[in-house]
Amino acid sequence: MKHYLKWPGNNFGDKLNDIIFPQLGIDSCIPYTKTNLVSVPENTMLGLGTLLSQKVTSNVTVLGSGSDGSRKPRIKLDYRFVRGKLTANYLKLDSELAVGDTAYFLKDYIQNLSTTKEYDIGIIPHHSNDKITSGHNVISPTLPIDQFIAETSKYKIILAEAMHGAICADILRIPWSPISINSDRYPIQKFKWQDWASMFDIDLTFGNLKSYTTYLSSDKNLNSVSNNVRQLMISATS
């Protein structure tokens, strides 16, 4: 039986695996903890997340996970594809394995929840800073997934401290910007962001709530990455 790695908590990005893998017919999950990642069964699928660290010691199947740029798995894994070019380069993998973040499997799902644009700028904090960030335009990453997507789609620009909030905006065709709200509580993980953006040939500048640069992948690149992620996910789990 195949399993997927299930993240704890109610953070938007971490919960996406719970939609993706059941759509692929995989309902069995292994709860993520720092200790059990060392010895998860070999038939476990590693999807969304920065999971390719030295803690991984079983030959799991990698479906879009990424590296943190400082640690490596202790053994060779079953790499089907990884999050971006930086991960592939850091782990010395074939460049063709750099395909995109697992979340792009949900392109159609996310776009189908889009609503009318009503507001100018929305702010998505990392869950670490969620409770210290306030305002009518703050979109909590702990909202139920469908509500989070619908709320995000109402804005014309998204400022995101949470990377998967920016990915959601990108899929919704909303310009987005990577920002830091409180770097003491949550130092933004630049390697992770640049790794994701590398699949769209975007070189990011990180801003804040007052000064930022917006980005948006091209329709062509979005469709290409999403289609490739989807095809590889289906073939690996069928």
Side-chain angles (χ1 to χ4, degrees):
M1 178 182 293
K2 295 177 180 178
H3 314 275
Y4 73 92
L5 195 67
K6 179 181 178 69
W7 288 90
N10 294 316
N11 179 43
F12 170 73
D14 295 341
K15 298 295 287 184
L16 290 178
N17 282 333
D18 296 334
I19 294 180
I20 293 170
F21 285 98
Q23 285 191 16
L24 293 163
I26 300 175
D27 295 307
S28 178
C29 58
I30 304 293
Y32 169 82
T33 66
K34 290 182 179 180
T35 54
N36 75 4
L37 186 55
V38 173
S39 57
V40 292
E42 291 192 357
N43 53 357
T44 301
M45 308 285 178
L46 296 190
L48 182 150
T50 303
L51 296 169
L52 304 181
S53 69
Q54 61 183 349
K55 292 177 290 188
V56 184
T57 59
S58 51
N59 186 25
V60 297
T61 300
V62 178
L63 298 172
S65 305
S67 169
D68 61 6
S70 63
R71 298 171 295 177
K72 299 180 180 181
R74 297 173 184 173
I75 64 170
K76 183 178 180 181
L77 307 179
D78 180 13
Y79 293 103
R80 303 301 178 90
F81 70 99
V82 295
R83 182 175 58 207
K85 297 176 183 178
L86 273 65
T87 288
N89 182 63
Y90 179 70
L91 298 180
K92 294 181 170 53
L93 303 175
D94 191 308
S95 61
E96 292 185 357
L97 289 174
V99 173
D101 192 278
T102 317
Y104 283 95
F105 177 85
L106 294 175
K107 172 180 172 290
D108 292 343
Y109 180 94
I110 289 173
Q111 290 184 341
N112 286 339
L113 291 170
S114 180
T115 60
T116 303
K117 300 287 181 293
E118 300 179 29
Y119 311 111
D120 290 330
I121 299 176
I123 300 168
I124 303 176
H126 186 267
H127 66 85
S128 299
N129 286 327
D130 184 34
K131 292 184 178 180
I132 69 164
T133 311
S134 61
H136 68 279
N137 60 338
V138 174
I139 307 165
S140 172
T142 63
L143 287 172
I145 287 176
D146 288 5
Q147 184 181 349
F148 176 90
I149 295 169
E151 287 298 314
T152 300
S153 73
K154 295 177 182 179
Y155 289 87
K156 297 175 183 177
I157 293 175
I158 290 294
L159 308 183
E161 189 177 44
M163 189 185 79
H164 283 93
I167 290 177
C168 179
D170 193 70
I171 291 173
L172 290 167
R173 305 285 71 203
I174 300 171
W176 48 269
S177 179
I179 64 161
S180 177
I181 295 173
N182 186 318
S183 59
D184 291 331
R185 290 175 62 93
Y186 176 71
I188 194 164
Q189 298 179 39
K190 294 183 178 180
F191 183 95
K192 178 174 75 172
W193 279 82
Q194 296 284 18
D195 187 38
W196 157 53
S198 70
M199 296 312 306
F200 302 96
D201 298 319
I202 295 174
D203 186 16
L204 298 176
T205 297
F206 296 87
N208 53 51
L209 291 172
K210 295 182 179 180
S211 177
Y212 53 85
T213 302
T214 59
Y215 303 91
L216 186 66
S217 69
S218 69
D219 289 341
K220 179 180 178 181
N221 284 346
L222 171 65
N223 290 333
S224 176
V225 168
S226 299
N227 290 338
N228 289 339
V229 167
R230 186 169 187 83
Q231 290 173 9
L232 287 167
M233 293 286 287
I234 291 172
S235 65
T237 55
S238 60

